[in-house]
Amino acid sequence: MNIYDKVEIAKNYIQKKMMPNAKIALILGSGLINTNTTKEINIKAIIKYDKIPYWPKSTVDHHIGELLLGEVDGTEVIIMSGRVHYYEGYSMSEITFPIRVLREIGVETLIVTNAAGGVSLNMKPGTIMLIDDHINLMGANPLIGLNEDKWGERYPDMTYPYNIEYISIIEKVAKQNNIHIEKGTYLAMTGPSFETPAEIKMIRLLGGDVVGMSTVPEVIVANHMNMKVCGLSCVSNYAAGITKNRLTLEEVIENVDLASSKIMKLLTSFIREIYRNV
């Protein structure tokens, strides 16, 4: 069965279960689904990933693996609670399958979030970084292979992978809510091992401000399908070598949880701001 048919089957299943009319979708990464999420977003329906045909299932404990339909002041949003990663053994096509389905459902704006290690010295743990560009060091691209002409052109432009209007809006609502944010470049590597100190020096020289193990494949496919993208990273730890401390998943989750209320306030304020243009 080809990917078009699989996407259509998954789309039909979701629409039968929740009938979404959302133009906005959020991918909430490590640690971001918690009580702060339900405070800001009114959840109406939930589908577990393992019930959706062909939808990849997360093998990572801290990624819940649910598709949520919710509302922000009457604006309908679809929320991916957790994602799958290249390091889990999935192909790039499988990682980005949910983006294809969301676009076919009618989503026009994709908001991506992630936990990332701080490479630049001003990216301290707990910092929220607005992504204005990225570097792909994953050694693969989700568009390799035959182009899906139905969804996008063979050579999509990536001059502005993160919508410049949305960048301005996030900066505006951050100021309105008195939330400090930084702006910078996200660099993606495969993981699942954290980077070495030497690799972090390389990333800094290349222009990466934070480093993570996700997001870039999703953003590439979203651009391929002519979706507008907004991205936020939560700096969950100093990258290797900046301090003498070893890196742990527990530190990542703890710092993301501490910053989650600010991130959700930013996201819901952003949704309210753009709704009139969607």
Side-chain angles (χ1 to χ4, degrees):
M1 185 179 294
N2 64 44
I3 190 170
Y4 302 116
D5 292 337
K6 291 179 179 180
V7 166
E8 187 69 15
I9 291 169
K11 180 191 80 169
N12 290 339
Y13 180 87
I14 292 166
Q15 289 178 325
K16 286 178 183 177
K17 293 294 182 180
M18 59 171 56
M19 289 301 292
N21 189 36
K23 302 297 182 186
I24 302 169
L26 293 78
I27 302 177
L28 297 184
S30 302
L32 283 174
I33 284 286
N34 52 32
T35 55
N36 290 314
T37 308
T38 53
K39 281 180 188 176
E40 297 289 341
I41 300 175
N42 183 19
I43 305 301
K44 297 288 190 179
I46 301 174
I47 306 177
K48 292 188 178 299
Y49 288 170
D50 60 10
K51 300 296 184 183
I52 305 172
Y54 305 109
W55 196 282
K57 288 78 178 174
S58 177
T59 64
V60 180
D61 290 341
H62 56 280
H63 283 259
I64 297 171
E66 294 176 336
L67 193 68
L68 314 177
L69 179 65
E71 289 184 352
V72 177
D73 292 349
T75 300
E76 198 170 283
V77 297
I78 298 176
I79 303 162
M80 282 180 58
S81 173
R83 53 159 59 89
V84 296
H85 305 78
Y86 197 38
Y87 65 72
E88 293 176 71
Y90 287 106
S91 69
M92 282 287 174
S93 178
E94 290 171 320
I95 291 168
T96 55
F97 180 84
I99 310 305
R100 303 289 192 194
V101 176
L102 291 172
R103 186 68 176 107
E104 286 294 303
I105 285 173
V107 169
E108 297 171 354
T109 290
L110 181 68
I111 303 171
V112 293
T113 68
N114 57 60
V119 175
S120 297
L121 297 181
N122 60 323
M123 298 297 177
K124 301 176 182 177
T127 299
I128 299 170
M129 190 191 85
L130 174 58
I131 307 172
D132 63 4
D133 206 345
H134 69 232
I135 299 170
N136 181 11
L137 283 189
M138 301 183 83
N141 187 301
L143 304 184
I144 290 173
L146 292 175
N147 185 57
E148 297 93 359
D149 293 329
K150 174 184 175 182
W151 290 325
E153 60 184 295
R154 170 77 279 187
Y155 304 105
D157 176 62
M158 293 293 288
T159 304
Y160 303 106
Y162 302 86
N163 186 272
I164 55 175
E165 179 187 359
Y166 286 177
I167 289 172
S168 297
I169 292 172
I170 286 286
E171 290 176 321
K172 173 185 172 181
V173 298
K175 187 175 182 179
Q176 289 172 344
N177 288 281
N178 197 30
I179 297 173
H180 174 75
I181 61 172
E182 297 286 345
K183 187 165 62 175
T185 297
Y186 176 92
L187 186 144
M189 299 185 76
T190 62
S193 58
F194 290 113
E195 299 73 30
T196 68
E199 288 169 337
I200 294 304
K201 289 178 183 177
M202 174 195 72
I203 291 167
R204 189 177 295 121
L205 287 171
L206 290 175
D209 295 295
V210 299
V211 61
M213 305 172 189
S214 67
T215 301
V216 167
E218 298 153 343
V219 172
I220 291 172
V221 165
N223 276 267
H224 182 240
M225 297 189 78
N226 199 31
M227 299 170 79
K228 295 180 179 179
V229 179
C230 175
L232 291 175
S233 288
C234 177
V235 180
S236 54
N237 55 277
Y238 282 117
I242 294 178
T243 72
K244 295 184 181 298
N245 298 332
R246 288 180 173 271
L247 306 184
T248 66
L249 177 61
E250 288 73 23
E251 180 187 10
V252 170
I253 300 300
E254 180 182 352
N255 283 320
V256 173
D257 187 63
L258 290 172
S260 64
S261 60
K262 292 181 180 179
I263 292 173
M264 294 312 302
K265 176 62 71 176
L266 272 179
L267 293 179
T268 51
S269 298
F270 172 75
I271 291 167
R272 293 184 183 102
E273 186 70 23
I274 69 169
Y275 174 66
R276 58 187 77 126
N277 297 318
V278 173

